[in-house]
Amino acid sequence: MSAKEKLKNDIIVGMHMHLDNNAQAILETVIIKAIQNLDIKELETLPATADDTNQYIMQLFDAKKAPRLSPKTVEFYKATLNEFVSLINKPLNKITESDVAYYLQIKRNGNTNTSLNNLRRNLSAFFTWLRKEKIISENPCDAIEPYTVVEKPIDHMEATDMEMLKKGCSHPRDRALIEFMRSTAMRRGEVPFVKICDIDFRSGKLVIFGEKTQKYRTVFLDNVAVYYIQEYLRHRGVSENSKEPLFTHLRGDKTKVLEVDGVYSSIKDIARRAGMDRRIYPHLFRKTTATNICRRGGSEDAAGEYLGHAPKNVTGKHYTYKGDRYVEQIFHNFVEAV
């Protein structure tokens, strides 16, 4: 890390608790312009002690990287890092490949290879960020090979599972929720942010903000989903122009949004009442929708486009425009109830 970068980062860390993300981004731009033509002599690179170094790095992470990630991702990264640091007890800018290998070897007791790969992925993402910040020169995780994982068949619901699930719906909200999840294939963390007025009830179009991608994308409700959502809204006594959350609590304050845990619990309760002997969870609807798209003749790229996955190829990312009409065509061809 150069002296200029150290100065910039020190100011950002110092102001982090006093500014929101937008103001912080503006501050960083101002600092970069202000120090561009300055010749700053380097006296030190990081604090002297291991504890101070790690605290500084984590403060920098909170100020610069964390605002660009979802709270859940930040929580996973920090849980892994805290455990890693407590075990290795070294400055994060001095970590070696053998340190990472030792940590993963210790964690092999009681963990599956999938869990170990998740820990490795968290550490690798963090050290990649440190490398980009020029705090380290190379990522110590690069030479650590992922653990072998036996690929299981992709979990999904068959048509009979969906029909059985419907039998567990005891309230208009239940049926509206499962039809909504089936049609939109949204992540459960995205559901609480949907307001009634966000839905175009004529076309079924709904523009949402992706929880994971941090981008807007378009999904659709078919006629079946619209019908049951309208039934639910009539039961609630609210109009289609209401700014209330689409899904709310059934007891207490009935205008209070159904949060992420509530979405999970509601679907779990529907499956329990239906007497289903398999696990039903919100993400299963995404997997089922993707599976159905491919079964009905759609490509994996089409499935990824509808689910809001980022394109992996250069052409898809930078050269091929795919607007709402393309997503709508995928919906009508492969997702819409027939």
Side-chain angles (χ1 to χ4, degrees), residues 45-321:
T45 54
L46 286 170
T49 68
D51 287 345
D52 287 345
T53 296
N54 290 345
Q55 182 183 19
Y56 177 85
I57 288 174
M58 293 311 299
Q59 287 175 338
L60 192 62
F61 176 83
D62 286 338
K64 298 186 72 175
K65 184 64 175 178
R68 302 177 185 178
L69 303 172
S70 72
K72 194 172 182 180
T73 299
V74 173
E75 182 182 346
F76 285 159
Y77 281 7
K78 285 192 170 183
T80 303
L81 284 164
N82 288 337
E83 184 180 59
F84 178 77
V85 167
S86 66
L87 181 64
I88 301 302
N89 194 27
K90 286 175 63 175
L92 286 166
N93 63 323
K94 302 295 182 183
I95 297 298
T96 65
E97 176 189 333
S98 62
D99 294 326
V100 177
Y102 175 73
Y103 167 73
L104 293 175
Q105 186 65 34
I106 294 295
K107 294 298 293 180
R108 290 192 71 171
N109 293 327
N111 281 295
T112 64
N113 283 1
T114 299
S115 297
L116 293 171
N117 283 337
N118 288 337
L119 294 175
R120 176 192 170 278
R121 191 178 300 113
N122 288 347
L123 291 175
S124 183
F126 179 79
F127 286 115
T128 295
W129 171 75
L130 281 186
R131 179 179 56 77
K132 290 179 179 178
E133 289 290 327
K134 299 181 177 61
I135 293 174
I136 59 176
S137 58
E138 61 182 23
N139 184 343
C141 298
D142 281 348
I144 306 292
E145 293 293 331
Y147 291 86
T148 301
V149 176
V150 177
E151 295 291 340
K152 297 179 181 179
I154 294 174
D155 196 13
H156 66 283
M157 284 188 285
E158 297 291 346
T160 51
D161 293 320
M162 191 66 185
E163 289 304 310
M164 186 177 291
L165 190 62
K166 294 172 185 177
K167 294 180 179 179
C169 296
S170 61
H171 187 279
R173 190 191 72 181
D174 295 338
R175 187 63 184 272
L177 179 60
I178 65 171
E179 297 293 352
F180 178 86
M181 299 296 286
R182 172 193 59 79
S183 190
T184 65
M186 286 172 59
R187 298 178 178 91
R188 67 170 176 169
E190 296 165 345
V191 176
F193 295 99
V194 178
K195 293 181 173 59
I196 298 169
C197 60
D198 293 337
I199 300 172
D200 183 338
F201 283 91
R202 290 171 299 177
S203 66
K205 182 178 176 180
L206 171 62
V207 178
I208 64 168
F209 186 70
E211 173 195 30
K212 199 168 184 179
T213 61
Q214 299 292 293
K215 295 178 181 178
Y216 286 96
R217 76 175 190 276
T218 302
V219 295
F220 290 87
L221 297 164
D222 59 24
N223 290 337
V224 174
V226 168
Y227 173 81
Y228 283 105
I229 288 172
Q230 288 174 327
E231 286 286 294
Y232 167 50
L233 296 182
R234 279 193 285 272
H235 184 272
R236 271 171 61 183
V238 294
S239 75
E240 295 176 2
N241 297 319
S242 171
K243 294 184 179 180
E244 287 185 16
L246 177 58
F247 295 106
T248 59
H249 284 223
L250 298 181
R251 290 176 288 275
D253 183 357
K254 295 182 180 180
T255 65
K256 186 178 179 182
V257 64
L258 187 69
E259 297 286 358
V260 175
D261 290 342
V263 173
Y264 181 86
S265 297
S266 297
I267 290 174
K268 185 178 178 180
D269 288 343
I270 294 169
R272 176 182 52 77
R273 288 193 296 268
M276 301 185 72
D277 58 0
R278 60 159 301 172
R279 183 169 170 250
I280 305 293
Y281 50 96
H283 207 71
L284 186 61
F285 289 86
R286 279 175 65 78
K287 294 180 178 181
T288 300
T289 299
T291 298
N292 286 340
I293 288 174
C294 293
R295 277 182 172 178
R296 294 173 180 175
S299 65
E300 291 184 1
D301 286 343
E305 190 74 31
Y306 190 70
L307 268 62
H309 293 162
K312 293 182 174 61
N313 58 80
V314 173
T315 302
K317 282 183 178 180
H318 303 293
Y319 293 94
T320 307
Y321 173 74

